[in-house]
Amino acid sequence: MAMIKEYETVIGLEVHVELATKTKIFCGCSTAFGGAPNTHTCPVCTGMPGTLPVLNKQVLEYAIAVGLATGCDITRYGKFDRKNYFYPDNPQNYQISQLYLPICRNGGIEIETQEGGRKTVGIHEIHMEEDAGKLIHDEWDECSLVDYNRSGVPLIEIVSEPDMRDAKEVIAYLEKLRLLIQYLGASDCKLQEGSMRADVNLSVREVGQKAFGTRTEMKNLNSFKAITRAIEGERERQIDLIEAGEAIIQETRRWDDAKGISYAMRSKEDAQDYRYFPDPDLAPIVVSDEMLAKIRAKQPEFRTEKMARYREEYGIPDYDIDIITSAKRMADLFEETVAICHQPKKVSNWLMGETMRLMKEKEIDAQDLHFSPQNLAKLIALTDSKAINGNVAKEVFEVMFDQDIEPEQYVEEHGLRTVNDAGALKKAIEEVIAGNPQSVEDYKNGKEKALGFLVGQTMKAMKGKAEPAMVNQILKEFLS
């Protein structure tokens, strides 16, 4: 009886991250996302003859900051190289990158494994380079157009070692890397806008085999779901080929997420195919002790340290801490609001409850939240003073979430302040009791739900501007 072979997947990643500079890597053009095609361009980033690139210092500082945060050795004397290839979105017919002396080397990121253990995914190198333009395929006119707005946008490419063994480890690594870079402020890492993209290098081998199998590369995957499906699909494809006795070709493949299949794009090039050579127009990069010390001193408090401090300083549950610190913008909102109102649990409740609900409903990321901590603190103060009740507070917050309105002014302008006039409230309750004799009878017969109905009717009569606790108390007095 033939033994069933077991296979192991070997995965390494090349992650491209667009840096959060306001201008491009070698010129002064804007890096803002969007804009009409070819409006964020100049002779330098469109590769005009006779132009000279000048390195944006902020790009170098961001690259070093990411390197320090991932435990890399920083290359103190480096340079840029030209990677020669010909493609319509590459106006110079070469890309300025780093092959021989990348800015960062030999780092790693620790992740949690599925079994609950920990492992370090090695980082082979991090290098700086410029992005290419974008081809837009017009199916109606059957032509392709080129937008050079993205050409020259600064990138770092983070090349891992082939240390990951399944899609879950890959996602854990990417999530940790993304959060670390966001905490640094080096990039927003929005996969949907292409500011973080992953190329997956994958091979399979029999369990116990030391030599790597032949790998393929899947390019520019821009969602965690697509990455997971691409890994699982390519693993199955390679195993099927091995089982059929066929050879795996080293090649670049494109993953079609809609169809759930990959297809070959081109055979995998070697470095020599790009004819790399040092860029003659750019001066060498010298990282001084002073520069390194300044960048190291500016490193932020990362998530692990923040979580420990939250437990000690704020005393909120671990579940809250885990959610709040999973996005830097959320953590900033929390800390800044607590500094104003000194009520960590109430701030946490607003972020964990209504904020998360509206983010999911409106499909936005935490980094796109734009209501201010000052206004959230004012809303909490309004509810604490019983100037508005909980339902009105949620109504106000929903507007504040979209428009960052000043809550006190909004409450006054829309007449939402809680009615504390006991006379008016008693009159409304008398009318509700008179109009709902059956519910009154049900309550007196021990049906507690009937009281809830009467409270609801009273709140409706008061247009939501009564304090539910006061309504409950007065109703019980009338019904006793």
Side-chain angles (χ1 to χ4, degrees):
M1 184 177 176
M3 291 184 64
I4 297 173
K5 292 180 181 178
E6 291 187 20
Y7 293 94
E8 177 181 57
T9 315
V10 178
I11 306 166
L13 296 182
E14 297 167 19
V15 179
H16 293 82
V17 175
E18 285 185 2
L19 298 177
T21 58
K22 291 183 179 177
T23 56
K24 294 183 180 182
I25 186 169
F26 298 123
C27 68
C29 291
S30 170
T31 58
F33 180 75
N38 299 306
T39 54
H40 300 167
T41 57
C42 72
V44 174
C45 58
T46 53
M48 295 293 108
T51 57
L52 288 173
V54 178
L55 177 61
N56 182 337
K57 186 182 176 185
Q58 183 69 69
V59 174
L60 176 62
E61 291 175 351
Y62 277 149
I64 293 171
V66 175
L68 291 174
T70 53
C72 289
D73 300 325
I74 307 301
T75 303
R76 304 298 293 274
Y77 182 87
K79 58 186 178 61
F80 283 98
D81 307 295
R82 288 188 183 179
K83 176 182 180 181
N84 296 275
Y85 68 95
F86 306 97
Y87 205 66
D89 64 3
N90 184 25
Q92 302 153 186
N93 288 326
Y94 61 83
Q95 178 190 33
I96 301 175
S97 183
Q98 292 186 296
L99 175 68
Y100 302 107
L101 293 171
I103 187 66
C104 312
R105 286 180 281 200
N106 304 323
I109 287 181
E110 188 178 71
I111 62 169
E112 289 186 10
T113 63
Q114 197 175 353
E115 296 77 29
R118 293 182 177 276
K119 72 181 287 185
T120 298
V121 176
I123 290 177
H124 179 72
E125 68 175 57
I126 301 173
H127 60 260
M128 299 174 286
E129 63 185 23
E130 59 181 347
D131 208 347
K134 183 179 181 182
L135 282 179
I136 299 163
H137 304 291
D138 189 332
E139 293 181 8
W140 184 260
D141 288 331
E142 295 183 346
C143 67
S144 293
L145 306 172
V146 190
D147 178 7
Y148 288 125
N149 280 352
R150 202 173 66 184
S151 180
V153 167
L155 297 175
I156 52 173
E157 181 174 345
I158 303 160
V159 183
S160 83
E161 299 290 357
D163 291 338
M164 290 159 279
R165 295 293 175 264
D166 57 39
K168 288 181 179 174
E169 289 187 1
V170 167
I171 301 306
Y173 168 81
L174 286 170
E175 286 179 335
K176 189 87 175 273
L177 183 63
R178 180 173 67 167
L179 195 57
L180 181 148
I181 294 170
Q182 287 174 342
Y183 265 77
L184 283 167
S187 174
D188 58 22
C189 292
K190 291 183 178 179
L191 279 82
Q192 70 275 17
E193 291 184 5
S195 57
M196 184 178 187
R197 313 189 289 272
D199 299 344
V200 176
N201 292 289
L202 184 149
S203 64
V204 296
R205 63 185 177 187
E206 286 187 46
V207 172
Q209 178 184 316
K210 289 186 178 180
F212 290 141
T214 303
R215 66 183 171 89
T216 59
E217 180 182 28
M218 285 176 289
K219 300 285 285 184
N220 290 336
L221 298 161
N222 61 0
S223 80
F224 289 162
K225 286 182 179 177
I227 289 165
T228 298
R229 287 192 285 260
I231 287 169
E232 290 168 353
E234 181 61 11
R235 169 187 159 84
E236 289 176 15
R237 189 189 73 86
Q238 290 194 19
I239 290 172
D240 288 345
L241 286 172
I242 293 168
E243 293 281 321
E246 297 180 32
I248 294 166
I249 300 168
Q250 184 173 337
E251 62 189 357
T252 300
R253 299 183 68 83
R254 174 77 68 188
W255 173 254
D256 187 327
D257 201 43
K259 296 179 180 176
I261 58 170
S262 67
Y263 54 90
M265 291 172 61
R266 58 182 181 267
S267 61
K268 180 62 181 171
E269 302 87 346
D270 207 332
Q272 64 201 33
D273 294 324
Y274 289 120
R275 295 176 291 114
Y276 280 95
F277 64 87
D279 191 295
D281 292 337
L282 284 158
I285 302 160
V286 180
V287 180
S288 65
D289 291 343
E290 183 185 14
M291 174 186 259
L292 204 56
K294 279 184 179 177
I295 296 170
R296 188 174 272 118
K298 288 195 288 188
Q299 294 289 88
E301 177 187 50
F302 290 108
R303 188 188 187 194
T304 304
E305 299 83 46
K306 202 176 281 289
M307 291 175 81
R309 180 169 65 83
Y310 280 18
R311 289 187 194 97
E312 181 73 23
E313 189 174 332
Y314 300 122
I316 58 176
D318 281 354
Y319 181 77
D320 294 31
I321 292 171
D322 189 56
I323 298 295
I324 290 169
T325 58
S326 66
K328 185 177 185 295
R329 175 62 179 152
M330 192 80 85
D332 289 345
L333 272 171
F334 173 77
E335 291 184 33
E336 291 168 28
T337 308
V338 171
I340 298 167
C341 70
H342 309 291
Q343 300 200 65
K345 184 54 185 163
K346 286 184 178 177
V347 176
S348 173
N349 288 346
W350 276 103
L351 294 177
M352 298 282 291
E354 288 301 291
T355 303
M356 295 291 287
R357 179 184 70 80
L358 290 168
M359 282 169 58
K360 184 177 180 181
E361 184 180 299
K362 297 172 187 288
E363 297 181 340
I364 69 166
D365 293 331
Q367 55 201 324
D368 294 323
L369 295 172
H370 59 265
F371 62 85
S372 69
Q374 292 80 8
N375 283 338
L376 179 55
K378 286 177 183 177
L379 186 64
I380 291 170
L382 285 170
T383 55
D384 282 352
S385 66
K386 294 187 169 27
I388 57 175
N389 62 39
N391 288 332
V392 170
K394 288 179 181 179
E395 178 187 330
V396 174
F397 180 78
E398 189 151 352
V399 181
M400 195 172 86
F401 184 93
D402 289 330
Q403 303 171 31
D404 195 30
I405 48 95
E406 203 283 334
E408 292 173 351
Q409 183 180 344
Y410 186 86
V411 165
E412 293 302 330
E413 288 176 354
H414 292 79
L416 297 174
R417 191 170 286 275
T418 299
V419 176
N420 290 317
D421 182 346
L425 186 53
K426 285 179 179 177
K427 183 180 177 184
I429 287 173
E430 285 174 352
E431 290 174 0
V432 167
I433 287 173
N436 296 277
Q438 185 59 54
S439 295
V440 171
E441 186 66 27
D442 288 345
Y443 175 72
K444 290 182 176 180
N445 289 332
K447 293 182 179 178
E448 286 293 325
K449 284 185 179 179
L451 181 66
F453 173 78
L454 295 169
V455 169
Q457 291 301 301
T458 305
M459 293 297 292
K460 187 176 179 182
M462 298 296 294
K463 297 181 180 177
K465 292 183 288 184
E467 178 58 44
M470 186 182 290
V471 173
N472 260 285
Q473 181 187 335
I474 295 174
L475 259 171
K476 286 179 179 177
E477 288 172 4
F478 270 88
L479 296 173
S480 62

